[in-house]
Amino acid sequence: KQEVTQIPAALSVPEGENLVLNCSFTDSAIYNLQWFRQDPGKGLTSLLLIQSSQREQTSGRLNASLDKSSGRSTLYIAASQPGDSATYLCAVRRHNTDKLIFGTGTRLQVFP
Amino acid sequence: GAVVSQHPSWVICKSGTSVKIECRSLDFQATTMFWYRQFPKQSLMLMATSNEGSKATYEQGVEKDKFLINHASLTLSTLTVTSAHPEDSSFYICSAGAGTTTNSPLHFGNGTRLTVT
């Protein structure tokens, strides 16, 4: 059974810091991995999608890496801003299925 | 980009009543939609996979007679919580994929906050 864990569970930093959020999964037979952002009481916004054959994806200040063999992904946020405050979720999709298995989430707070 | 609209955004109902939540893909066709449930400060739990024109596939432990799913068209899936009870109070989120689901990112609705009194 696939299990997805995120560390840390919560993070509070001053703005301007570079951040690393971690995601680990127990079954490396994944099709892709996706990072999402969720604001309180809202749905999910897709940030980055990494196919299993890829090593990383970048979008603006965000960079996500994937090491499938070791079951790990990291989301790097450069020069954090208060507007980055949200919960960040990673989710993996296994081969031959459309289901996403979500991680436990990291609640990020960036203060001015 | 692909947009998924979910309605209503919040609903309060009395115990014993039924509530219907709609999930629409606005600018793409979604043969498969997914329904998730999220408890406060917890992650998303997949409830069921909704397939257009066929019966939904429910995850283990999810009561299919309580959570009725209908996917009548390529742009609309509905979740009906029947005979709601306070323990059904939760945040429900739908998602849909554009194109070949396994190759493309899933897009999510903004969720529905259900409160059963």
Side-chain angles (χ1 to χ4, degrees):
Chain A
K1 177 185 176 185
Q2 177 74 271
E3 294 184 0
V4 184
T5 306
Q6 290 183 245
I7 296 174
L11 188 60
S12 182
V13 299
E15 69 176 314
E17 282 202 5
N18 300 322
L19 308 172
V20 176
L21 308 183
N22 297 291
C23 172
S24 61
F25 45 95
T26 55
D27 187 347
S28 62
I30 65 169
Y31 198 84
N32 58 41
L33 182 146
Q34 199 166 349
W35 282 93
F36 295 90
R37 168 186 173 139
Q38 185 178 30
D39 293 287
K42 301 293 185 181
L44 276 65
T45 300
S46 178
L47 298 175
L48 291 164
L49 171 71
I50 310 177
Q51 301 293 349
S52 62
S53 58
Q54 297 176 323
R55 285 282 188 173
E56 65 177 341
Q57 284 286 327
T58 298
S59 175
R61 294 182 294 109
L62 304 179
N63 175 277
S65 66
L66 174 64
D67 184 346
K68 195 176 77 165
S69 61
S70 65
R72 290 184 297 185
S73 176
T74 60
L75 178 66
Y76 178 81
I77 304 176
S80 59
Q81 303 171 358
D84 295 330
S85 299
T87 295
Y88 290 81
L89 296 162
C90 69
V92 299
R93 181 179 293 150
R94 294 189 63 191
H95 280 282
N96 300 320
T97 177
D98 292 341
K99 301 176 185 178
L100 284 182
I101 306 299
F102 280 85
T104 46
T106 294
R107 292 190 301 279
L108 172 65
Q109 181 180 13
V110 182
F111 53 89
Chain B
V3 177
V4 175
S5 174
Q6 194 171 335
H7 179 82
S9 57
W10 61 270
V11 58
I12 300 173
C13 70
K14 293 184 177 181
S15 288
T17 61
S18 295
V19 174
K20 180 184 286 187
I21 303 170
E22 292 186 348
C23 180
R24 294 180 183 272
S25 55
L26 296 186
D27 51 359
F28 65 97
Q29 293 185 332
T31 55
T32 306
M33 292 185 176
F34 304 90
W35 288 96
Y36 293 84
R37 181 174 184 176
Q38 186 178 35
F39 291 103
K41 296 186 179 181
Q42 294 188 23
S43 192
L44 278 72
M45 181 192 76
L46 179 65
M47 299 174 65
T49 302
S50 169
N51 301 295
E52 187 267 335
S54 64
K55 292 183 179 180
T57 303
Y58 290 82
E59 295 299 301
Q60 190 174 8
V62 178
E63 298 177 59
K64 62 180 181 181
D65 294 329
K66 179 154 189 70
F67 299 100
L68 300 178
I69 293 174
N70 184 290
H71 194 154
S73 74
L74 287 172
T75 59
L76 174 64
S77 176
T78 61
L79 168 67
T80 300
V81 182
T82 62
S83 186
H85 290 280
E87 56 265 31
D88 298 325
S89 299
S90 188
F91 192 58
Y92 294 87
I93 307 178
C94 70
S95 72
T100 303
T101 307
T102 51
N103 287 329
S104 61
L106 290 178
H107 301 278
F108 285 75
N110 281 327
T112 297
R113 173 75 57 193
L114 171 63
T115 302
V116 184
T117 60

